[in-house]
Amino acid sequence: MTLDFLGTHQRTHMCGDLRSAHAGQSVILMGWVNRRRDHGDLVFLDLRDRSGITQVVVDKSESTEALAKAEAARPEFVVAAIGTVRQRIAGLENPNMPTGDIEVVVSELLLLSDAKTPPFSPAEDAIVNEELRLQYRYLDLRRPEMQANFLMRHKVAQAIRGQLSSEGFLEIETPMLTRSTPEGARDYLVPSRVHPGTFYALPQSPQIFKQILMVGGFDRYFQIARCFRDEDLRADRQPEFTQIDLEISFPTQETVFGVAERFLTAAFAAANVTIPTPFPRMTYDQAITKYGIDKPDMRLPHMAELTEVLTPELRESLRIEPALPVFGFVIPNVGELSGTARKSLLSEIRAFFGDSGLDALDITRLRTSEAFVPLAEEIGSHLNATTIAFNGNSFTTNDLAVVITPKLGTPALWNFDRQWIPKRIGALRIELAKKFADKHKLFDKTGTADDYRFLWVTDFPMYEFNEEKKTWDAAHHPFTSPHEDDIKSGALYNDKGSVRALAYDVVLNGLELGSGSIRIHRKDVQSEIFRSLGMTDEEARERFGFFLEALEYGTPPHGGIALGLDRIVMLLAGASSLREVIAFPKTAKAIDLMVQAPSEPTEQQMRDLHLKTAVRS
């Protein structure tokens, strides 16, 4: 088989563009053979490019040479089809294809590239083996599902750029090679050949640079920035990712919220989704109390606090710790459980909590005891209030009611966390919602605004306790401003656990889309924060001297936010993993299976970088 050269031929149409209106036109299509059907003197080729598929017909009566080439063609060959568009014969149309009313009768066929039999066909609807997909990513990317994901990603990114540009933001790039700064994860380090023994760090975010751009007077900055974090992976996390990064001078939180809501509205509109604004808001403490998590999934009913329902007498009778909170929640439409299923569920819940001291209160069993019927009814009324507030429907026996109580001796604090009980119960709520998702169907797409439930969470804790080091660490980056009242009260030093940050997250369907804060713009306050983290003035100068010096030259108040572009597109595409919307992702072990990275450097590269490897004993 001899392959052809393209010569001076130019494509006239994309494969997915042809319709009945093109009948009679001469066209040149180019793409991959998706499928081939040989009927002797007649060969049908489904020709595919990223726009779609067109059926081309190679007839011996039109060209014996073209027929010979069509007979030689196989799936994933690259061909050029030169011919005429014609209407398909009545009854032979394909209603499942946008181009199903027409076909192209070929007068000349060029075989531009051949192909080995692929390990899987891009024509397949689903390929189970993800490692195989990642190893042959170039084949995987040809699949229509993947092509649609990246078309959506492009449209979303363009909409964001357009919206921010229309509001006076300048797109400015920041360095990829920088110095290591604390961002909450390990840095990727890059050794310097020119300066032996020193290393650059790949940026975990453009945080310090965007703040310096505010010092530089740019007022409104944005960037669709590549970021790098050396951390353990999961479905919605990658070692390199893309975030929509912006910073504003002289903002309030309201300023940042308005900008973010407008560019998210534009981004979702690019995917034909309308979202209502403004987004609802709640504080971190409210989110923990009502949902047990700082990124609530608003598609589920919130928890009900039942602390006051359980009187001291009832607690003593039921062996419940007298001073700790009690919470309950509802998973809708689970249906009535059999006795065996109920016992199995109670066992699962107790295994989930382990030896923490939390236990499930069996409401069904309470109803069988005359003494506890009033308690069961009062608990039911509180749970009913949450379901009515959620969707207007009353709580019924078709809904699963779960009440969690602390056993006698349960600790009030766990790792210095005052809110550990609602957090553990909130985690159970999410697990049970996943377990019964096929019953309640609240995670199913409906095509309405309820599919995308946004929320702002504000007033996060400034510090979190590090149990291993027995120290208070910055819960965010150390450039986040605390509430002014908490600085004045002295809590910064006397009660770090109560200090609130001017930090905020935007949450969608239980996933954190992005985080931001109002920054510290005064050197004296920034130095105070470094000292409150146990950093000496000398250490602060060593690590952040350039930044502290920049703050001495007239720094405007500023703040901003960064949102994950990959995560936004993942949710819009209905994908289960970020790997479906990143062109060349890593595995859960941070390996690129296609190029086999990371790889060992050569001896010469190690010598150039003045490096040696040491084997751990």
Side-chain angles (χ1 to χ4, degrees), residues 190-265:
V190 181
S192 171
R193 179 185 60 82
V194 179
H195 303 284
T198 64
F199 293 78
Y200 298 103
L202 300 180
Q204 293 188 37
S205 79
Q207 183 59 48
I208 287 182
F209 288 103
K210 67 181 182 181
Q211 290 189 249
I212 289 177
L213 286 170
M214 297 301 102
V215 181
F218 282 100
D219 195 67
R220 288 191 161 206
Y221 139 93
F222 87 97
Q223 183 182 186
I224 297 184
R226 203 71 169 164
C227 303
F228 307 85
R229 294 180 185 175
D230 184 6
E231 58 188 351
D232 297 331
L233 306 186
R234 55 178 183 250
D236 60 345
R237 184 176 287 173
Q238 282 279 301
E240 51 181 318
F241 58 95
T242 305
Q243 69 183 32
I244 306 143
D245 198 58
L246 64 87
E247 198 77 7
I248 309 170
S249 290
F250 310 110
T252 62
Q253 282 192 159
E254 294 296 325
T255 311
V256 179
F257 292 175
V259 168
E261 288 177 3
R262 287 191 292 277
F263 81 65
L264 282 169
T265 298

Side-chain angles (χ1 to χ4, degrees), residues 121-122 155 165 179 227 235 253 261 268-269 337 478 514 517 610:
S121 170
K155 289 180 177 179
S165 296
R179 67 174 292 145
C227 303
Q253 282 192 159
E261 288 177 3
F268 276 66
L337 298 179
S517 67
H610 311 279

Side-chain angles (χ1 to χ4, degrees), residues 474-485:
H476 314 275
H477 54 69
F479 315 111
T480 299
S481 177
H483 271 260
E484 184 179 325
D485 292 344

Side-chain angles (χ1 to χ4, degrees), residues 63-294:
S63 170
T64 55
E65 183 182 355
L67 181 67
K69 291 181 179 180
E71 289 172 340
R74 292 295 181 269
E76 301 313 306
F77 275 37
V78 180
V79 306
I82 303 166
T84 305
V85 181
R86 77 178 178 193
Q87 197 80 22
R88 289 200 197 187
I89 297 170
L92 297 181
E93 302 94 339
N94 186 345
N96 298 318
M97 290 173 57
T99 60
D101 290 338
I102 57 89
E103 58 192 8
V104 173
V105 181
V106 172
S107 57
E108 184 179 358
L109 188 71
L110 303 180
L111 299 182
L112 302 176
S113 177
D114 59 0
K116 295 193 299 183
T117 301
F120 60 86
S121 170
E124 295 176 35
D125 290 334
I127 298 127
V128 175
N129 190 327
E130 188 183 35
E131 287 194 359
L132 197 65
R133 289 177 56 203
L134 294 176
Q135 183 181 351
Y136 296 93
R137 189 62 163 180
Y138 39 84
L139 296 176
D140 190 45
L141 289 173
R142 293 179 191 174
R143 296 193 300 120
E145 178 184 355
M146 297 298 287
Q147 301 262 317
N149 287 352
F150 286 95
L151 176 60
M152 179 186 291
R153 184 182 177 115
H154 166 75
K155 289 180 177 179
V156 166
Q158 289 299 99
I160 291 167
R161 278 194 166 95
Q163 180 62 36
L164 291 175
S165 296
S166 74
E167 295 193 29
F169 284 82
L170 301 182
E171 186 170 7
I172 305 174
E173 293 180 340
T174 52
M176 285 292 184
L177 296 176
T178 181
R179 67 174 292 145
S180 181
T181 57
E183 295 278 356
R186 288 180 293 272
D187 289 318
Y188 281 102
L189 297 178
V190 181
S192 171
R193 179 185 60 82
V194 179
H195 303 284
T198 64
F199 293 78
Y200 298 103
L202 300 180
Q204 293 188 37
S205 79
Q207 183 59 48
I208 287 182
F209 288 103
K210 67 181 182 181
Q211 290 189 249
I212 289 177
L213 286 170
M214 297 301 102
V215 181
F218 282 100
D219 195 67
R220 288 191 161 206
Y221 139 93
F222 87 97
Q223 183 182 186
I224 297 184
R226 203 71 169 164
C227 303
F228 307 85
R229 294 180 185 175
D230 184 6
E231 58 188 351
D232 297 331
L233 306 186
R234 55 178 183 250
D236 60 345
R237 184 176 287 173
Q238 282 279 301
E240 51 181 318
F241 58 95
T242 305
Q243 69 183 32
I244 306 143
D245 198 58
L246 64 87
E247 198 77 7
I248 309 170
S249 290
F250 310 110
T252 62
Q253 282 192 159
E254 294 296 325
T255 311
V256 179
F257 292 175
V259 168
E261 288 177 3
R262 287 191 292 277
F263 81 65
L264 282 169
T265 298
F268 276 66
N272 299 316
V273 174
T274 301
I275 56 175
T277 56
F279 303 158
R281 301 171 192 183
M282 67 176 65
T283 66
Y284 170 87
D285 285 343
Q286 290 170 334
I288 297 299
T289 301
K290 296 185 77 171
Y291 293 93
I293 193 170
D294 60 5

Side-chain angles (χ1 to χ4, degrees), residues 6 22 24 47 49 62 67 100 146 168 171 177 180 225 228 236 259 270 295 303 345 353 375 415 424 523 550 593 614:
L6 183 60
H22 296 98
L47 195 59
D49 61 21
E62 293 286 335
L67 181 67
M146 297 298 287
E171 186 170 7
L177 296 176
S180 181
F228 307 85
D236 60 345
V259 168
K295 41 183 181 289
M303 301 190 305
L345 182 62
F353 288 131
L375 172 61
N415 291 350
R424 293 277 180 103
K523 182 185 176 183
L593 292 175

